[in-house]
Coordinates of all heavy atoms in Angstrom, one line a residue:
I11 N 26.7 -44.2 38.2 CA 27.9 -43.9 37.3 C 29.2 -43.8 38.2 O 30.2 -44.4 37.8 CB 27.7 -42.7 36.5 CG1 26.6 -42.9 35.4 CG2 29.0 -42.2 35.8 CD1 26.1 -41.7 34.7
S12 N 29.1 -43.1 39.3 CA 30.2 -43.0 40.2 C 30.6 -44.4 40.8 O 31.8 -44.7 40.8 CB 29.9 -42.1 41.4 OG 29.6 -40.8 40.9
F13 N 29.7 -45.2 41.1 CA 30.0 -46.5 41.6 C 30.7 -47.4 40.5 O 31.7 -48.0 40.7 CB 28.8 -47.3 42.1 CG 29.0 -48.7 42.5 CD1 29.6 -48.9 43.8 CD2 28.8 -49.8 41.8 CE1 29.8 -50.2 44.2 CE2 29.0 -51.1 42.2 CZ 29.6 -51.3 43.4
F14 N 30.1 -47.3 39.3 CA 30.7 -48.1 38.2 C 32.1 -47.6 37.9 O 33.0 -48.4 37.6 CB 29.8 -48.0 37.0 CG 30.3 -48.8 35.8 CD1 30.1 -50.2 35.8 CD2 31.0 -48.2 34.8 CE1 30.5 -51.0 34.8 CE2 31.4 -49.0 33.7 CZ 31.2 -50.4 33.7
A15 N 32.3 -46.3 37.9 CA 33.6 -45.7 37.6 C 34.6 -46.1 38.7 O 35.8 -46.5 38.3 CB 33.5 -44.2 37.6
L16 N 34.2 -46.2 40.0 CA 35.1 -46.6 41.0 C 35.5 -48.1 40.8 O 36.7 -48.4 41.0 CB 34.4 -46.4 42.4 CG 35.2 -46.9 43.6 CD1 36.5 -46.1 43.7 CD2 34.4 -46.8 44.9
Q17 N 34.6 -48.9 40.4 CA 34.8 -50.3 40.2 C 35.8 -50.5 39.1 O 36.7 -51.3 39.1 CB 33.6 -51.1 40.0 CG 32.6 -51.2 41.2 CD 33.4 -51.9 42.4 OE1 34.1 -52.8 42.3 NE2 33.2 -51.3 43.6
L18 N 35.5 -49.7 38.0 CA 36.4 -49.8 36.8 C 37.9 -49.4 37.2 O 38.9 -49.9 36.8 CB 35.8 -48.9 35.7 CG 36.6 -48.9 34.4 CD1 36.6 -50.3 33.8 CD2 36.0 -47.9 33.4
Y19 N 37.9 -48.3 38.0 CA 39.2 -47.8 38.5 C 39.9 -48.9 39.3 O 41.1 -49.1 39.1 CB 39.1 -46.5 39.3 CG 40.4 -46.1 40.0 CD1 41.3 -45.4 39.2 CD2 40.6 -46.3 41.3 CE1 42.5 -45.0 39.9 CE2 41.8 -45.9 41.9 CZ 42.7 -45.2 41.2 OH 43.9 -44.8 41.8
K20 N 39.2 -49.5 40.2 CA 39.8 -50.6 41.0 C 40.3 -51.8 40.1 O 41.4 -52.3 40.3 CB 38.8 -51.2 41.9 CG 38.5 -50.3 43.1 CD 37.6 -51.1 44.1 CE 37.2 -50.3 45.3 NZ 36.2 -51.0 46.1
K21 N 39.6 -52.1 39.0 CA 39.9 -53.1 38.1 C 41.2 -52.8 37.4 O 42.1 -53.6 37.3 CB 38.8 -53.4 37.1 CG 39.1 -54.5 36.1 CD 37.9 -54.7 35.2 CE 38.3 -55.7 34.2 NZ 37.2 -55.9 33.2
I22 N 41.3 -51.6 36.9 CA 42.5 -51.1 36.1 C 43.7 -51.0 37.0 O 44.8 -51.5 36.6 CB 42.1 -49.8 35.4 CG1 41.0 -50.0 34.4 CG2 43.4 -49.2 34.8 CD1 40.5 -48.7 33.8
T23 N 43.5 -50.5 38.2 CA 44.7 -50.3 39.0 C 45.0 -51.4 40.0 O 45.9 -51.3 40.8 CB 44.5 -49.0 39.8 OG1 43.4 -49.1 40.7 CG2 44.4 -47.8 38.9
S24 N 44.2 -52.4 40.0 CA 44.4 -53.6 41.0 C 45.7 -54.2 40.9 O 46.1 -54.6 39.7 CB 43.2 -54.5 40.8 OG 43.5 -55.6 41.7
N25 N 46.4 -54.3 41.9 CA 47.7 -55.1 41.9 C 47.5 -56.3 42.7 O 48.5 -57.0 43.0 CB 48.8 -54.2 42.5 CG 48.6 -53.8 43.9 OD1 47.6 -54.1 44.5 ND2 49.5 -53.1 44.5
Q26 N 46.3 -56.8 43.0 CA 46.1 -58.0 43.8 C 45.6 -59.1 43.0 O 45.2 -60.1 43.5 CB 45.1 -57.6 44.9 CG 45.5 -56.6 45.9 CD 44.4 -56.4 46.9 OE1 43.3 -56.8 46.8 NE2 44.9 -55.7 48.0
T27 N 45.6 -59.0 41.7 CA 45.2 -60.1 40.8 C 46.3 -61.2 40.9 O 47.4 -61.0 41.2 CB 45.0 -59.6 39.5 OG1 46.2 -59.1 38.9 CG2 43.9 -58.6 39.3
T28 N 45.8 -62.4 40.6 CA 46.6 -63.6 40.7 C 46.9 -64.0 39.2 O 45.9 -64.5 38.6 CB 45.9 -64.7 41.5 OG1 45.6 -64.1 42.8 CG2 46.9 -65.9 41.7
S29 N 48.1 -64.0 38.8 CA 48.3 -64.5 37.4 C 48.4 -66.0 37.4 O 48.4 -66.7 38.4 CB 49.7 -63.9 36.9 OG 50.7 -64.5 37.7
N30 N 48.4 -66.6 36.2 CA 48.5 -68.0 36.1 C 49.7 -68.6 36.7 O 49.7 -69.6 37.4 CB 48.4 -68.5 34.6 CG 47.0 -68.3 34.1 OD1 46.0 -68.3 34.8 ND2 46.9 -68.1 32.7
E31 N 50.9 -67.9 36.6 CA 52.2 -68.3 37.2 C 52.1 -68.3 38.7 O 52.5 -69.2 39.3 CB 53.3 -67.3 36.7 CG 53.8 -67.7 35.4 CD 55.0 -66.7 35.1 OE1 55.6 -66.1 36.0 OE2 55.3 -66.7 33.8
A32 N 51.5 -67.2 39.2 CA 51.3 -67.1 40.7 C 50.4 -68.2 41.2 O 50.7 -68.8 42.2 CB 50.8 -65.7 41.1
Q33 N 49.3 -68.5 40.5 CA 48.4 -69.6 40.9 C 49.1 -70.9 40.9 O 49.0 -71.7 41.8 CB 47.2 -69.6 39.9 CG 46.2 -70.7 40.3 CD 45.6 -70.6 41.7 OE1 45.7 -69.6 42.3 NE2 45.1 -71.7 42.2
A34 N 49.9 -71.2 39.8 CA 50.7 -72.5 39.8 C 51.7 -72.6 41.0 O 51.8 -73.6 41.5 CB 51.4 -72.6 38.4
E35 N 52.3 -71.4 41.3 CA 53.3 -71.4 42.4 C 52.5 -71.6 43.6 O 53.0 -72.3 44.6 CB 54.0 -70.1 42.4 CG 55.1 -70.0 43.4 CD 56.3 -70.9 43.3 OE1 56.5 -71.3 42.1 OE2 56.8 -71.3 44.3
L36 N 51.4 -71.0 43.8 CA 50.6 -71.2 45.0 C 50.2 -72.7 45.2 O 50.3 -73.3 46.3 CB 49.3 -70.4 45.0 CG 48.3 -70.5 46.1 CD1 48.9 -70.1 47.4 CD2 47.0 -69.9 45.8
Q37 N 49.7 -73.3 44.2 CA 49.3 -74.7 44.2 C 50.5 -75.6 44.6 O 50.4 -76.6 45.4 CB 48.6 -75.2 43.0 CG 47.3 -74.6 42.7 CD 46.3 -74.9 43.9 OE1 46.3 -76.0 44.5 NE2 45.4 -73.9 44.1
K38 N 51.7 -75.3 44.0 CA 52.9 -76.0 44.3 C 53.3 -75.9 45.8 O 53.6 -76.8 46.5 CB 54.0 -75.5 43.4 CG 55.4 -76.2 43.6 CD 56.4 -75.5 42.7 CE 57.8 -75.9 43.0 NZ 58.7 -75.2 42.2
E39 N 53.2 -74.7 46.4 CA 53.5 -74.4 47.8 C 52.5 -75.1 48.7 O 52.8 -75.6 49.7 CB 53.5 -72.9 48.0 CG 54.7 -72.2 47.5 CD 56.0 -72.7 48.0 OE1 56.2 -72.9 49.2 OE2 57.0 -72.9 47.2
V40 N 51.2 -75.1 48.3 CA 50.2 -75.8 49.1 C 50.5 -77.3 49.2 O 50.4 -77.9 50.2 CB 48.7 -75.5 48.4 CG1 47.7 -76.5 49.1 CG2 48.3 -74.1 48.7
K41 N 50.8 -77.9 48.0 CA 51.2 -79.3 48.0 C 52.3 -79.6 49.0 O 52.4 -80.6 49.7 CB 51.5 -79.8 46.6 CG 50.3 -80.0 45.8 CD 50.6 -80.5 44.4 CE 49.4 -80.6 43.6 NZ 49.6 -81.0 42.2
K42 N 53.4 -78.7 48.9 CA 54.5 -78.9 49.7 C 54.2 -78.8 51.2 O 54.6 -79.6 52.0 CB 55.6 -77.8 49.3 CG 57.0 -78.1 50.0 CD 57.9 -77.0 49.8 CE 58.1 -76.4 48.5 NZ 59.2 -75.4 48.3
E43 N 53.4 -77.8 51.5 CA 52.9 -77.6 52.9 C 52.0 -78.7 53.4 O 52.2 -79.2 54.5 CB 52.2 -76.3 53.0 CG 53.1 -75.1 53.1 CD 53.9 -75.1 54.4 OE1 53.3 -75.0 55.5 OE2 55.1 -75.1 54.3
L44 N 51.2 -79.2 52.5 CA 50.3 -80.4 52.9 C 51.2 -81.6 53.2 O 50.9 -82.4 54.1 CB 49.3 -80.7 51.8 CG 48.1 -79.8 51.7 CD1 47.3 -80.0 50.5 CD2 47.3 -79.9 53.0
M45 N 52.3 -81.9 52.5 CA 53.2 -82.9 52.7 C 53.9 -82.7 54.1 O 54.0 -83.7 54.9 CB 54.3 -83.1 51.6 CG 53.7 -83.6 50.3 SD 52.9 -85.2 50.5 CE 54.3 -86.2 51.0
R46 N 54.2 -81.5 54.4 CA 54.9 -81.2 55.7 C 53.9 -81.5 56.8 O 54.3 -81.9 57.9 CB 55.3 -79.7 55.7 CG 56.1 -79.3 57.0 CD 56.5 -77.8 56.9 NE 55.3 -76.9 57.0 CZ 54.6 -76.6 58.2 NH1 55.0 -77.1 59.3 NH2 53.7 -75.7 58.1
L47 N 52.7 -81.2 56.6 CA 51.6 -81.4 57.6 C 50.9 -82.8 57.5 O 49.8 -82.9 58.0 CB 50.6 -80.3 57.6 CG 51.2 -78.9 57.9 CD1 50.2 -77.8 57.5 CD2 51.6 -78.7 59.3
K48 N 51.5 -83.7 56.9 CA 50.8 -85.0 56.6 C 50.4 -85.7 57.9 O 49.4 -86.5 57.9 CB 51.6 -86.0 55.8 CG 52.9 -86.4 56.4 CD 53.7 -87.3 55.5 CE 55.0 -87.7 56.1 NZ 55.9 -88.4 55.2
N49 N 51.0 -85.5 59.0 CA 50.6 -86.1 60.3 C 49.5 -85.3 61.0 O 49.0 -85.8 62.0 CB 51.8 -86.3 61.2 CG 52.7 -87.3 60.6 OD1 52.4 -88.2 59.9 ND2 54.1 -87.0 60.9
V50 N 49.1 -84.2 60.5 CA 48.1 -83.4 61.1 C 46.7 -83.8 60.5 O 46.7 -83.9 59.3 CB 48.3 -81.9 60.9 CG1 47.1 -81.0 61.4 CG2 49.6 -81.4 61.6
K51 N 45.7 -84.0 61.3 CA 44.5 -84.5 60.8 C 43.6 -83.2 60.4 O 43.6 -82.3 61.1 CB 43.7 -85.3 61.8 CG 44.4 -86.6 62.1 CD 43.5 -87.6 62.8 CE 44.2 -88.8 63.1 NZ 44.1 -89.8 62.2
L52 N 42.9 -83.5 59.3 CA 41.9 -82.4 58.9 C 40.7 -82.5 59.8 O 40.3 -83.5 60.3 CB 41.4 -82.7 57.5 CG 42.4 -82.5 56.3 CD1 41.8 -83.0 55.0 CD2 42.7 -81.0 56.2
S53 N 40.1 -81.4 60.1 CA 39.0 -81.3 61.0 C 37.6 -81.7 60.3 O 36.6 -82.0 61.0 CB 38.7 -79.9 61.5 OG 39.9 -79.4 62.1

Side-chain angles (χ1 to χ4, degrees):
I11 291 171
S12 298
F13 177 78
F14 185 77
L16 177 64
Q17 293 302 321
L18 183 61
Y19 173 77
K20 284 182 181 179
K21 179 179 176 181
I22 292 169
T23 61
S24 175
N25 61 357
Q26 296 180 346
T27 59
T28 306
S29 69
N30 289 336
E31 278 182 17
Q33 179 61 20
E35 184 65 28
L36 174 68
Q37 290 301 327
K38 182 178 165 186
E39 290 299 316
V40 166
K41 284 182 184 177
K42 190 187 315 182
E43 281 292 296
L44 284 171
M45 289 302 296
R46 183 180 68 80
L47 297 169
K48 66 182 176 187
N49 294 329
V50 176
K51 293 197 183 269
L52 291 171
S53 301

